[in-house]
């Protein structure tokens, strides 16, 4: 990887970390757990559309680790939770982008819902309790909305970059 | 890809759907709520069964009612309060059988289950309703000897004014009849909860029935979870019906040997196939020292028990019923 | 946004709708689980305070007006206590390994 690329990725990484941290401070987040704006996803989505999957993976994983160091703690349940959400989300965004005709907004929605689904699955496994699945409708509902918002933001970002 | 997404969605939807073909009803008889659930059965069949079951509980409710008389029914109230000493009367087959079961159980439980305890139970009931005081031995000196009862070929006679009280096993007894009825009707997956007298048929899903046991005096806590099918479960506990006086708990189960509600555990839960037997045994074990109860249960086949006392005691093979 | 996007939203909305059908009967009890074990059954009709032991310490649960919330618990983000009063969606306190739910799928009968 050349220097230019490394610095680009580092920049994007720091932005996504900052976005994550800002988000955790905003009170709206607190109302129902798991419901978040997913601002950091703007970065991941951007990378997915302008760079490679590998780059997106690096940034995703490193972001979770950095936020873990700074905020939630490493290798505890919350960390596992974030990691699974991020990975699930990225993998399915990549797959759907490759196989379907969804626009960037649609892919963003996919990212959002699979982030939630990933977290629910991990929560069910870690707590051995299937009832958590009843949480899904609420999460799915907010995922659609945040997905659209994030998708539109990223779309505009890419348009700006190209001009 | 869209097909895969649709399939996943379909599975999510199905996961909520295991309530198909379940019919249930709640009845109120014998001073308790009775919940019946039938699984994997069609509507017509289920409705007929539920209606028949209601009739069964109603019939035995009337037959064993100690406080009300019913037209055209010679019931326990009649035998206790209308029938005179040494007067003979013919009773129905059903009443005769349930009384005979009690008489048989007197011998099997060494006299701890005594259907002739009505007089003493009444005295304690008065005190429990007042919620204060304790009867003295003079007040408790009433006829309770079961040998004063004679029942041959459906002819009932009492040689002294003893009063019948079938409360120790009537719910279990009728629930067992209901279970047999359902099996005769080929309805094998069922759940009956007659005020704590539980009888379960075959499981209706991959997992067996999950049964939670409540902690005595703190019933929002579940202290044990069972995973079972084809068993009856009955708990006797001092927390079920009691009053507190002068720092002591007086439960509703009166020990025929001492005439007081003496017991050695906060609760005991019995698991065995026959519901009437489970009811009898849980009442019996409740009045025995735990050591004796453990010995008794471990000697018998097909019955397990758990005691909640200063600690939790288990019969030898109880763990086969526990949820893993 | 294109046609595929709208189809996606349609499918998701249908799933959500179906789930809500299952969620909407009035609940009278809440069930508190520690990992897979039911540790408390709470009557929503009585306003009360309950204490249970979570992985990180005591978790305090409050019932008021037929709704329930986690009042206090030990964790770094306090997500589940910030959730407030609910009576239809589960409360998940992941660090404490506590789940509070209103559907008793786990228990067929409690005696």
């Amino acid at each position: 990887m050349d220097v230019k690329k490394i610095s680009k990725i580092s920049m994007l990484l720091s932005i996504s970390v900052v976005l994550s941290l800002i988000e955790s401070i905003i009170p709206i987040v607190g109302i129902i757990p798991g419901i978040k704006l997913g601002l950091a996803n703007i970065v991941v989505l951007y990378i997915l559309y302008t760079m490679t999957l590998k780059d997106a993976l690096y940034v995703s994983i490193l972001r979770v680790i950095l936020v873990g160091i700074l905020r939630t703690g490493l290798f505890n349940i919350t960390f596992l939770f974030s990691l699974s959400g991020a990975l699930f989300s990225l993998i399915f965004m990549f797959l759907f982008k490759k196989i379907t005709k969804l626009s960037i907004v649609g892919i963003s929605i996919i990212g959002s819902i699979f982030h939630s689904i990933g977290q629910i699955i991990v929560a069910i496994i870690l707590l051995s309790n299937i009832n958590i699945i009843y949480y899904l409708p609420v999460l799915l509902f907010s995922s659609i909305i945040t997905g659209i918002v994030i998708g539109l933001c990223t779309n505009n970002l890419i348009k700006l970059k190209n001009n | 890809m869209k097909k895969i997404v649709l399939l996943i969605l379909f599975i999510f939807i199905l996961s909520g759907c295991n309530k198909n073909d379940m019919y249930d009803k709640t009845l109120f008889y014998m001073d308790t709520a009775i919940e019946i659930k039938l699984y994997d059965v069609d509507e017509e069949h289920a409705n007929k069964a539920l209606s028949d079951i209601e009739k069964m509980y109603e019939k035995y409710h009337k037959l064993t009612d100690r406080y009300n008389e019913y037209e055209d029914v010679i019931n326990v109230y009649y035998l206790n309060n209308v029938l005179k000493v040494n007067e003979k009367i013919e009773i129905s087959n059903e009443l005769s059988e349930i009384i005979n079961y009690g008489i048989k159980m007197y011998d099997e439980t060494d006299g701890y289950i005594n259907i002739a305890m009505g007089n003493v139970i009444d005295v304690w009931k008065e005190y429990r309703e007042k919620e204060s005081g304790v009867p003295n031995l003079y007040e408790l000196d009433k006829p309770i000897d079961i040998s004063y009862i004679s029942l041959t070929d459906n002819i009932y006679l009492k040689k002294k004014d003893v009063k019948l009280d079938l409360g120790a096993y009537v719910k279990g007894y009728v629930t067992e009849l209901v279970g047999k009825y359902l099996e005769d009707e080929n309805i094998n997956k069922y759940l009956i909860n007659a005020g704590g007298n539980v009888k379960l048929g075959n499981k209706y899903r991959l997992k067996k029935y999950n049964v939670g046991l409540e902690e005595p005096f703190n019933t929002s806590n579940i202290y044990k979870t069972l995973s079972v099918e084809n068993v009856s479960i009955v708990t006797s506990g001092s927390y079920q019906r009691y009053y507190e006086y002068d720092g002591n708990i007086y439960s509703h189960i009166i020990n025929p040997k001492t005439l007081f509600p003496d017991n050695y555990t906060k609760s005991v839960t019995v698991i065995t196939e026959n519901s009437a037997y489970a009811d009898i045994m849980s009442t019996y074990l409740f009045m025995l020292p735990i050591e004796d109860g453990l010995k008794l249960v471990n000697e018998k086949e097909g019955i397990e028990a758990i005691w909640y006392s200063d600690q939790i005691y288990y019969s030898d093979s109880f763990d086969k019923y526990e949820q893993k | 946004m294109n046609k595929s996007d709208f189809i996606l939203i349609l499918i998701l909305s249908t799933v959500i709708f179906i789930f809500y059908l299952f969620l909407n009967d009035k609940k009278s009890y809440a069930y508190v689980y520690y990992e897979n074990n039911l540790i408390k059954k709470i009557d929503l009709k009585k306003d009360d305070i309950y204490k249970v032991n979570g992985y990180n310490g005591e978790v305090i649960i409050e019932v008021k007006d037929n709704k329930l919330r986690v009042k206090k618990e030990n964790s770094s983000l306090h997500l589940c206590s910030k959730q407030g009063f609910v009576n239809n969606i589960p409360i998940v306190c992941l660090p404490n390994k506590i789940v509070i739910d209103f559907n008793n799928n786990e228990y067929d009968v409690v005696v």
Side-chain angles (χ1 to χ4, degrees):
Chain A
M1 224 192 257
D2 61 359
V3 177
K4 196 166 170 210
K5 188 142 198 222
I6 295 180
S7 34
K8 195 171 183 188
I9 291 197
S10 312
M11 270 300 268
L12 290 167
L13 178 59
S14 351
I15 294 174
S16 78
V17 170
V18 169
L19 286 172
S20 254
L21 293 177
I22 291 177
E23 198 176 63
S24 62
I25 297 176
I26 299 177
I28 316 170
V29 172
I31 295 173
I32 299 183
I35 292 192
K36 32 187 253 169
L37 228 30
L39 291 175
N41 230 34
I42 295 179
V43 174
V44 175
L45 202 53
Y46 176 82
I47 297 179
L48 207 55
Y49 273 81
T50 60
M51 296 161 74
T52 70
L53 172 64
K54 238 199 237 169
D55 300 329
L57 259 170
Y58 280 139
V59 172
S60 273
I61 296 177
L62 288 172
R63 172 186 65 91
V64 174
I65 293 179
L66 283 174
V67 172
I69 293 175
L70 293 169
R71 197 79 162 87
T72 72
L74 279 182
F75 303 123
N76 58 24
I77 288 189
T78 318
F79 174 80
L80 273 168
F81 216 46
S82 297
L83 190 62
S84 63
L87 288 176
F88 239 73
S89 159
L90 181 54
I91 291 169
F92 280 92
M93 279 199 288
F94 175 71
L95 287 173
F96 272 76
K97 174 169 178 280
K98 214 166 180 176
I99 300 175
T100 71
K101 284 188 259 169
L102 291 167
S103 75
I104 192 171
V105 174
I107 296 298
S108 174
I109 296 176
I110 291 289
S112 223
I113 67 173
F114 279 98
H115 181 99
S116 303
I117 293 176
Q119 295 196 320
I120 296 253
I121 292 177
V122 169
I124 291 177
I125 294 174
L126 287 181
L127 296 184
S128 324
N129 190 328
I130 191 75
N131 284 321
I132 300 176
I133 208 166
Y134 282 95
Y135 216 45
L136 208 51
V138 187
L139 284 191
L140 289 183
F141 182 70
S142 75
S143 295
I144 297 179
I145 298 178
T146 59
I148 294 175
V149 170
I150 300 298
L152 290 172
C153 284
T154 316
N155 197 27
N156 289 337
L157 202 63
I158 296 179
K159 278 199 197 140
L160 279 173
K161 170 197 181 255
N162 291 336
N163 289 349
Chain B
M1 188 45 120
K2 223 185 260 183
K3 290 203 189 104
I4 298 178
V5 173
L6 278 173
L7 187 66
I8 297 175
L9 295 180
F10 195 60
I11 294 172
F12 271 134
I13 294 166
L14 280 186
S15 67
C17 275
N18 61 8
K19 282 200 163 197
N20 277 347
D21 300 328
M22 194 271 277
Y23 293 90
D24 69 329
K25 194 166 191 183
T26 305
L27 313 166
F28 291 95
Y29 290 104
M30 298 187 240
D31 202 21
T32 198
I34 302 168
E35 188 187 6
I36 303 150
K37 290 188 173 152
L38 308 176
Y39 302 92
D40 252 356
V41 58
D42 65 85
E43 189 173 357
E44 206 187 311
H45 201 191
N47 285 331
K48 172 165 191 302
L50 289 171
S51 162
D52 287 346
I53 292 173
E54 172 152 24
K55 293 200 188 92
M56 289 168 78
Y57 277 109
E58 188 189 19
K59 176 164 75 178
Y60 281 88
H61 167 90
K62 288 186 177 164
L63 278 179
T64 61
D65 195 334
R66 284 198 57 192
Y67 305 104
N68 296 292
E69 216 181 338
Y70 300 92
E71 224 182 293
D72 301 333
V73 178
I74 306 290
N75 68 355
V76 169
Y77 175 90
Y78 186 97
L79 298 179
N80 287 347
N81 304 305
V82 178
L83 187 74
K84 299 195 189 39
V85 171
N86 285 322
E87 186 186 333
K88 287 186 186 169
I89 186 137
E90 186 177 357
I91 60 174
S92 65
N93 281 333
E94 287 93 347
L95 186 55
S96 176
E97 277 167 27
I98 194 173
I99 293 175
N100 271 324
Y101 185 78
I103 295 173
K104 187 171 120 186
M105 284 302 140
Y106 177 90
D107 291 327
E108 283 200 32
T109 62
D110 197 27
Y112 275 91
I113 301 296
N114 179 355
I115 56 174
M117 279 281 284
N119 288 317
V120 166
I121 290 175
D122 287 347
V123 174
W124 278 101
K125 184 159 183 274
E126 264 176 46
Y127 278 86
R128 191 170 68 242
E129 277 160 8
K130 273 193 305 182
E131 283 193 71
S132 104
V134 167
N136 58 47
L137 285 173
Y138 177 72
E139 288 172 277
L140 294 171
D141 183 19
K142 299 237 169 17
I144 55 163
D145 195 333
I146 202 173
S147 60
Y148 292 137
I149 294 174
S150 142
L151 178 56
T152 339
D153 292 335
N154 292 5
I155 306 291
Y156 179 91
L157 178 144
K158 60 189 180 190
K159 297 183 197 125
K160 280 216 178 157
D161 193 19
V162 288
K163 292 200 169 37
L164 291 174
D165 188 309
L166 306 182
Y169 62 90
V170 62
K171 286 190 285 209
Y173 184 93
V174 186
T175 301
E176 180 64 20
L177 290 177
V178 171
K180 291 212 175 73
Y181 162 86
L182 286 171
E183 281 161 29
D184 287 342
E185 288 291 307
N186 239 328
I187 300 175
N188 296 309
K189 301 177 189 165
Y190 59 87
L191 179 155
I192 304 171
N193 180 4
N197 264 262
V198 173
K199 188 166 172 72
L200 304 165
N202 288 341
K203 63 185 185 184
Y204 61 95
R205 56 179 175 181
L206 212 61
K207 293 199 287 183
K208 296 185 193 176
Y209 295 94
N210 279 343
V211 179
L213 300 182
E214 296 171 328
E215 188 184 309
F217 298 106
N218 191 6
T219 56
S220 65
N221 261 9
I222 309 287
Y223 78 91
K224 183 61 70 179
T225 307
L226 308 173
S227 176
V228 286
E229 60 173 340
N230 292 318
V231 287
S232 297
I233 305 170
V234 181
T235 304
S236 286
S238 41
Y239 63 98
Q240 289 164 331
R241 212 173 277 204
Y242 68 99
Y243 74 100
E244 214 175 318
Y245 173 71
D246 205 20
N248 293 321
I249 306 268
Y250 296 95
S251 91
H252 70 293
I253 298 175
I254 311 300
N255 190 324
K257 310 284 184 175
T258 65
L259 303 184
F260 269 69
D262 296 321
N263 51 75
Y264 296 86
T265 180
K266 294 200 181 108
S267 84
V268 56
T269 300
V270 169
I271 306 179
T272 186
E273 208 214 312
N274 185 303
S275 179
Y277 191 59
D279 207 351
I280 294 266
M281 287 305 288
S282 82
T283 312
Y284 181 25
L285 292 174
F286 185 69
M287 295 184 268
L288 288 180
I290 298 179
E291 218 176 88
D292 298 347
L294 269 166
K295 191 150 167 283
L296 195 67
V297 171
N298 286 331
E299 272 167 12
K300 290 187 198 281
E301 283 252 358
I303 176 173
E304 301 297 330
I306 180 174
W307 286 255
Y308 187 99
S309 180
D310 52 312
Q311 63 175 82
I312 300 178
Y313 297 87
Y314 304 85
S315 59
D316 288 343
S317 305
F318 187 86
D319 57 336
K320 69 181 178 193
Y321 293 124
E322 289 185 63
Q323 184 184 67
K324 303 298 165 266
Chain C
M1 291 190 67
N2 60 29
K3 190 172 100 176
S4 298
D5 297 337
F6 281 111
I7 296 178
L8 175 67
I9 294 180
L10 198 62
I11 294 175
L12 289 177
S13 306
T14 314
V15 173
I16 294 171
F17 178 66
I18 292 174
F19 258 105
Y20 262 123
L21 291 181
F22 285 111
L23 278 189
N24 266 341
D25 15 292
K26 185 132 192 255
K27 301 294 193 272
S28 45
Y29 287 97
Y31 300 89
V32 184
Y33 300 88
Y34 180 85
E35 289 179 334
N36 198 21
N37 301 310
L38 180 68
I39 55 170
K40 225 170 195 19
K41 182 177 123 189
I42 293 178
D43 186 351
L44 294 175
K45 297 187 290 283
K46 285 188 305 170
D47 291 357
D48 207 345
I49 305 255
Y50 298 86
K51 298 185 182 160
V52 294
N53 289 326
Y55 192 70
N56 288 342
E58 206 175 57
V59 175
I60 301 182
I61 299 169
E62 182 181 358
V63 176
K64 201 161 160 207
D65 296 333
N66 221 292
K67 290 191 178 177
L68 175 154
R69 71 163 170 167
V70 169
K71 196 166 172 181
K72 188 168 182 288
E73 38 73 35
N74 299 328
S75 67
S76 49
L77 296 175
H78 293 294
L79 289 177
C80 79
S81 45
K82 281 195 208 161
Q83 198 168 335
F85 282 99
V86 296
N87 69 355
N88 51 6
I89 53 173
I91 295 179
V92 180
C93 294
L94 209 52
N96 278 290
K97 304 197 184 184
I98 297 274
V99 175
I100 304 173
D101 187 48
F102 302 90
N103 291 297
N104 185 17
N105 293 341
E106 289 301 311
Y107 281 72
D108 293 293
V109 64
V110 173
V111 286

